[in-house]
Amino acid sequence: MSELYKIDKNTELGSVTLNVQQLDQMIAYYSRVIGLDVLNQSDQKADLGTKDNEKVLLTLIKEEAKGTPTRKTGLFHTAFLLPSRKDLGNVLYSYLSREIPIGGASDHGYSEALYLQDPEGNGIEIYADKPKEVWDVRPDGTIAGITIQMDANGVIESRDEGQKIDKFPAGTIIGHVHLSVSSLDATHEFYVDVLGLDLKYNYGEQAKFLAAGDYHHHIGANTWAGENLPKREEIDLGLRSYSFVLPNEKALNKVKENFEKLDMQYTEEVSGAISVYDPNGVKVFLEVASN
């Protein structure tokens, strides 16, 4: 078999789609509390993002929960990447002034991050990257992370003083998606050996961090909820899908070639994107950046 292509180094994440039970409540939380804007809304679906550039970051789809909830693979958290530390300071100040519950605040060496949970239990990370010059980049290209207490005072001091900004700024993107997986080995095989991401860091035997290019991670994966979890189905509440955005059609065709060499099934979407399911039952879209 000929060598497989690495995914293009300029690949980024696009959007995340969640299945939710209480659509109105979830729209209110992500718009009024978290800081996204509602871009489109119907009785069954809502798209949220930043109004300044109309980019959809999060889609909420109403699904009826059936039966008793079962712990399955899926979302650990959706991570919203803000353009700067100043923006993170604006968000933190807004949350504290409105007494929004924050589950944690960490310094990871390469980023500073806030952690929350939405009303249906989906994890949320809101973070800003530190300058790449201070990242712990090893000679082999791996990027080591840490978890220590965030300098909350320093973050707040970096904000736009005298202003209270309750919305995410233009330039906010999905920085990474962190998954709760059944098997780290199977997840590694798909994202590294098939899709072509690079392994950036092994957190012992409990988590992996994977990325395109020189980023610290676009995908996180952990087994903290236990190994051999049941695979999620597309109608289960929580993470329905997420997307990678490749820079051009040539890069997308290279991914198709990988799938075809490995006899891996994928679907050609009407939009021109392709979709595939990862080993955890999460639907992954691969699309080309719009001009």
Side-chain angles (χ1 to χ4, degrees):
M1 182 184 294
S2 58
E3 185 177 350
L4 297 176
Y5 288 109
K6 284 288 185 186
I7 200 166
D8 192 281
K9 65 180 181 180
N10 295 311
T11 298
E12 296 181 345
L13 289 174
S15 63
V16 169
T17 299
L18 301 180
N19 290 334
V20 304
Q21 189 168 17
Q22 303 294 330
L23 181 60
D24 290 343
Q25 181 186 27
M26 293 287 274
I27 292 171
Y29 181 80
Y30 279 99
S31 59
R32 299 174 191 171
V33 175
I34 292 299
L36 294 171
D37 291 300
V38 180
L39 305 178
N40 305 289
Q41 183 177 349
S42 69
D43 291 341
Q44 299 296 320
K45 178 181 175 182
D47 293 324
L48 298 99
T50 57
K51 275 191 175 174
D52 289 334
N53 60 9
E54 296 291 316
K55 180 177 180 179
V56 176
L57 300 177
L58 181 69
T59 296
L60 305 175
I61 296 178
K62 186 173 183 179
E63 283 282 0
E64 296 297 329
K66 296 180 176 64
T68 304
T70 303
R71 180 179 292 180
K72 292 185 176 182
T73 57
L75 186 69
F76 188 67
H77 60 237
T78 301
F80 297 94
L81 173 58
L82 305 177
S84 70
R85 194 184 200 217
K86 176 193 73 172
D87 298 311
L88 186 62
N90 289 335
V91 167
L92 178 56
Y93 181 80
S94 171
Y95 291 171
L96 292 176
S97 64
R98 292 183 289 147
E99 299 183 346
I100 304 301
I102 298 173
S106 298
D107 181 333
H108 293 300
Y110 44 67
S111 68
E112 294 173 298
L114 307 175
Y115 294 93
L116 301 92
Q117 193 172 71
D118 75 21
E120 296 192 6
N122 298 293
I124 300 167
E125 177 179 341
I126 301 162
Y127 74 109
D129 281 330
K130 294 183 176 183
K132 285 190 175 181
E133 293 74 28
V134 304
W135 296 7
D136 185 3
V137 182
R138 305 293 171 85
D140 61 359
T142 58
I143 302 173
I146 58 175
T147 299
I148 60 175
Q149 183 175 336
M150 188 182 81
D151 176 12
N153 289 332
V155 170
I156 289 176
E157 287 171 1
S158 70
R159 72 183 181 91
D160 289 301
E161 193 171 351
Q163 298 187 50
K164 184 168 174 289
I165 299 173
D166 295 336
K167 291 292 185 181
F168 284 174
T172 299
I173 62 173
I174 300 294
H176 64 268
V177 176
H178 196 142
L179 304 171
S180 180
V181 305
S182 177
S183 163
L184 286 176
D185 289 342
T187 300
H188 179 110
E189 181 179 355
F190 174 79
Y191 284 100
V192 175
D193 301 334
V194 177
L195 195 54
L197 298 180
D198 289 315
L199 175 65
K200 292 298 180 178
Y201 192 58
N202 264 325
Y203 186 76
E205 298 181 354
Q206 299 179 332
K208 289 178 179 284
F209 298 92
L210 316 157
D214 59 359
Y215 197 54
H216 51 76
H217 68 293
H218 290 111
I219 298 296
N222 73 67
T223 54
W224 296 328
E227 296 185 353
N228 302 314
L229 294 176
K231 184 187 297 186
R232 67 174 294 99
E233 298 178 21
E234 195 168 346
I235 61 171
D236 287 336
L237 295 179
L239 181 62
R240 183 186 184 98
S241 65
Y242 71 90
S243 65
F244 282 104
V245 180
L246 289 86
N248 50 51
E249 195 73 31
K250 180 180 178 181
L252 181 62
N253 287 335
K254 287 182 177 180
V255 174
K256 290 182 186 179
E257 289 179 19
N258 279 5
F259 292 163
E260 289 161 3
K261 287 174 184 175
L262 296 168
D263 293 323
M264 187 164 190
Q265 290 186 339
Y266 66 89
T267 300
E268 297 266 8
E269 302 290 338
V270 175
S271 63
I274 63 173
S275 64
V276 65
Y277 287 92
D278 84 353
N280 308 292
V282 176
K283 193 172 189 178
V284 182
F285 288 90
L286 297 111
E287 57 194 27
V288 175
S290 58
N291 296 326

